Amino acid sequence: MNSSSEKRQSPLDCISDIFRKYISRFDAIVFSSAFVLTFLVHMYMFTHKFLNHDDIGGLYSEVNLLSSGRWFLHFATGINGNFSSSWLGALFGAFYLAVAAVLILRMLRIRRFVPAVLTVACLVAFPTVTSTYAYMFCADQYLLALTLSAAAAYMISREKRSLIILGGVVMAFSMGIYQAYFPLAASLLVMSMLIDAINSRYTSFKDFIIVGLKYVAGLAVGMILYFIILRICLKVYNVELVDYQGISSMGIVSLGELIERIRAAYLSFSEFYLTSPVFHSFFKYIVIASFVFNIIALALIIKQRGLYKSVAVIAEIVILLALLPLACGLVYVMAGMLTVHLVMLFPRVLPLILPAVFASNIDFDCAGSGPHSVRASGAVCLVLTCALLLSQFACAYEFLLIDNRAYFDMDLTYENTYAFMTKLTAKIELQEGFTEDTPIALIGKVDMGSVIPQSAMTGVFTGNRAANMYTRPQFLSYFLSSSYIYAGDDTIEQIEKSEEFKSMPCYPNEGSIKTIDGVIVVKFSD
């Protein structure tokens, strides 16, 4: 019978069909490239355990930062088992980055192999990712927030009412892990509209405005839902927001302060690329060249497609280009100038991947008035495309260098700090009268004489910073098996007032470790 001879689909066949329907071979290539490149760029971090003040404190703790407005972070932390594993964090983080890369390249319509790989390299190697991995105890959760933000933008960009609402919901959960990825969704939507504009997707300027309002509505749904859930969680768990990184006042700002924050977002845009100490001094020339090539490429695309004939299209492009710096720096509007750091600035990578976007949109079938004109135009397109891709490669290579320079410095800092603390704890425990119940007072700032330069990258602890981090007692306990009883603040204050302490030399000089009133005191600085 026909029914018995027909091949029945198993559940695995159904799953396979779904994957084939919604995930293209190119998506698989992008995912694989992002996953592999993440490991190639950050393997130094993944195979070591470096020092970071918050990460040492979070080695074995369930991360609960509801007081910082991150109501979904606690649940996301449970995915990797509530301990700071470099390797598990690497696996989960690489997976999330790979998914985000697929979504971002879909939104930016980059469908050619070389621009796609260069874009992926920039995305996974951007210094924000390095700073995020420095906080390994919550790195993969933050990268999950990044992916959810990209997914929210992708859903909203589909423009269907149900997907706009769903995108808003996903955006709320992204903010529930880390609020700083809201600008990523906004920036992706601006860039998506820019690509639509140069592809004459909008039938009129009114259509352009309507699409923009839909995108704003989707983001607004996410922001409003985030605050509603936050207020409910604060009420249920009887928790108040802390005054940290502008969290407690987010969304509450005067008109004058709002204008100042918008101004800061624009001013910081050029400062980040041209004067940031995070990058090498020559990076500004790469950025300038990249932006010049972008302008030329955009002008060429406008000429090739006859977009200059439409005032509306030109207005759309100008508006979106003007909005892009604001969208990328929206965190300045959300939190304020003084609270922004590198972990929050992932959207700043998007303007640096414009070369790949424009290279994917240049038309090589340049028609001229004759065969020589066609060849000349084709040569111009080829040279410009190569220049765009070369500038994209230069950015990716710069990120690779500074990422691994940071890891190298962190490695040396760990070795220095471990050696310093090993000698210190040995001297403490050789002090006459020492027992495991003897209180210890470590007073002043440690100067190890380290020659390792200070890093401008958030979370990258180098030089003397690691020896002076607030989680130094946990470091001594976890890494050197030296769990001491530490004197309280009142006791330390009394010791510092004593003449005996004032006459002590600073460590490591003889006499810098002394027992005062039953407390073993180490004087690091005056």
Side-chain angles (χ1 to χ4, degrees):
M1 296 177 62
N2 289 336
S3 58
S4 61
S5 62
E6 289 178 354
K7 182 181 178 181
R8 295 182 179 180
Q9 272 198 325
S10 69
L12 290 178
D13 292 329
C14 294
I15 295 173
S16 179
D17 289 342
I18 292 172
F19 269 87
R20 278 195 292 267
K21 181 178 180 181
Y22 294 104
I23 301 175
S24 68
R25 179 173 295 181
F26 190 80
D27 291 335
I29 292 173
V30 170
F31 179 92
S32 302
S33 300
F35 192 86
V36 171
L37 284 172
T38 300
F39 272 86
L40 289 177
V41 173
H42 302 285
M43 183 65 79
Y44 204 158
M45 168 62 86
F46 298 163
T47 53
H48 293 78
K49 191 62 186 172
F50 296 137
L51 300 182
N52 171 280
H53 57 312
D54 287 344
D55 186 58
I56 296 299
L59 283 180
Y60 290 104
S61 63
E62 295 185 10
V63 182
N64 190 345
L65 295 177
L66 177 58
S67 60
S68 294
R70 303 170 203 175
W71 44 262
F72 193 56
L73 178 60
H74 177 70
F75 301 100
T77 302
I79 296 174
N80 70 352
N82 295 320
F83 67 101
S84 182
S85 166
S86 297
W87 193 249
L88 275 181
L91 288 172
F92 283 109
F95 175 80
Y96 297 143
L97 279 172
V99 174
V102 171
L103 295 169
I104 290 171
L105 265 68
R106 277 192 176 190
M107 286 196 68
L108 302 183
R109 270 79 89 191
I110 299 174
R111 308 302 293 175
R112 295 177 182 175
F113 180 76
V114 174
V117 171
L118 291 175
T119 300
V120 166
C122 285
L123 292 174
V124 304
F126 194 60
T128 291
V129 178
T130 295
S131 284
T132 302
Y133 272 126
Y135 298 89
M136 188 61 75
F137 73 107
C138 60
D140 54 313
Q141 297 94 299
Y142 284 6
L143 294 175
L144 172 60
L146 185 157
T147 303
L148 290 176
S149 179
Y154 181 76
M155 293 176 189
I156 293 170
S157 70
R158 311 308 289 174
E159 297 180 31
K160 295 181 180 179
R161 182 179 299 177
S162 58
L163 287 178
I164 289 175
I165 295 173
L166 181 59
V169 173
V170 173
M171 188 71 255
F173 278 86
S174 172
M175 294 182 70
I177 298 175
Y178 196 41
Q179 303 93 325
Y181 288 116
F182 180 86
L184 174 63
S187 302
L188 284 172
L189 289 171
V190 169
M191 288 187 66
S192 178
M193 291 188 71
L194 176 62
I195 296 165
D196 285 338
I198 64 177
N199 283 288
S200 303
R201 183 258 190 202
Y202 304 110
T203 57
S204 64
F205 190 73
K206 179 181 178 181
D207 184 34
F208 167 77
I209 296 296
I210 291 173
V211 171
L213 291 175
K214 287 180 179 178
Y215 290 175
V216 171
L219 295 173
V221 168
M223 181 70 79
I224 293 169
L225 183 59
Y226 161 76
F227 276 113
I228 290 174
I229 298 176
L230 174 60
R231 293 301 171 186
I232 293 173
C233 291
L234 293 173
K235 186 73 173 178
V236 170
Y237 293 101
N238 193 27
V239 174
E240 293 186 359
L241 290 176
V242 296
D243 186 18
Y244 172 73
Q245 304 289 19
I247 296 300
S248 60
S249 61
M250 190 171 70
I252 305 173
V253 61
S254 66
L255 178 60
E257 177 65 17
L258 177 62
I259 294 173
E260 188 60 31
R261 290 186 178 189
I262 292 173
R263 179 173 173 271
Y266 277 103
L267 289 177
S268 64
F269 183 77
S270 60
E271 291 174 358
F272 177 77
Y273 301 119
L274 302 180
T275 63
S276 173
V278 170
F279 303 108
H280 290 110
S281 58
F282 59 78
F283 182 64
K284 60 178 175 285
Y285 302 112
I286 296 174
V287 173
I288 292 170
S290 174
F291 283 6
V292 169
F293 295 149
N294 287 336
I295 293 170
I296 296 172
L298 180 59
L300 177 62
I301 292 169
I302 290 173
K303 180 179 182 298
Q304 285 181 340
R305 302 181 182 184
L307 302 179
Y308 58 88
K309 300 175 183 178
S310 171
V311 175
V313 172
I314 297 300
E316 292 163 8
I317 293 173
V318 170
I319 290 171
L320 292 168
L321 289 175
L323 285 176
L324 186 58
L326 176 61
C328 292
L330 204 55
V331 67
Y332 287 93
V333 180
M334 296 168 61
M337 182 72 177
L338 298 178
T339 61
V340 175
H341 53 71
L342 186 58
V343 179
M344 301 176 174
L345 295 176
F346 186 80
R348 287 277 165 86
V349 71
L350 296 181
L352 296 177
I353 62 177
L354 278 173
V357 173
F358 290 140
S360 299
N361 280 275
I362 291 176
D363 184 5
F364 276 83
D365 296 327
C366 307
S369 57
H372 297 290
S373 176
V374 173
R375 285 197 296 271
S377 299
V380 169
C381 293
L382 179 60
V383 170
L384 181 57
T385 300
C386 290
L388 288 166
L389 297 180
L390 183 61
S391 67
Q392 190 80 90
F393 173 81
C395 285
Y397 187 67
E398 162 72 353
F399 301 156
L400 172 69
L401 290 179
I402 60 177
D403 291 347
N404 282 274
R405 169 66 181 268
Y407 294 146
F408 179 73
D409 289 346
M410 291 178 79
D411 193 3
L412 290 182
T413 298
Y414 169 81
E415 296 293 344
N416 285 351
T417 306
Y418 185 86
F420 180 90
M421 292 301 177
T422 299
K423 292 186 291 185
L424 173 66
T425 54
K427 292 178 180 179
I428 289 174
E429 293 171 19
L430 288 173
Q431 183 72 8
E432 186 177 352
F434 171 82
T435 70
E436 61 182 11
D437 297 322
T438 304
I440 307 296
L442 306 178
I443 300 177
K445 294 290 185 181
V446 172
D447 182 2
M448 298 188 298
S450 174
V451 296
I452 303 169
Q454 293 285 351
S455 174
M457 297 177 69
T458 304
V460 176
F461 270 48
T462 57
N464 294 319
R465 293 178 66 196
N468 291 300
M469 59 189 176
Y470 76 90
T471 49
R472 180 169 58 193
Q474 290 95 319
F475 171 73
L476 293 175
S477 177
Y478 288 140
F479 291 85
L480 284 89
S481 299
S482 299
S483 298
Y484 299 130
I485 297 173
Y486 293 92
D489 292 339
D490 292 339
T491 302
I492 291 176
E493 184 178 354
Q494 291 298 319
I495 291 173
E496 288 178 323
K497 292 178 180 178
S498 69
E499 292 300 323
E500 190 173 4
F501 174 80
K502 292 178 182 179
S503 64
M504 290 172 61
C506 295
Y507 186 86
N509 294 307
E510 184 179 355
S512 58
I513 302 178
K514 184 180 291 189
T515 302
I516 301 177
D517 297 332
V519 178
I520 296 179
V521 178
V522 182
K523 183 178 181 181
F524 291 122
S525 62
D526 292 314

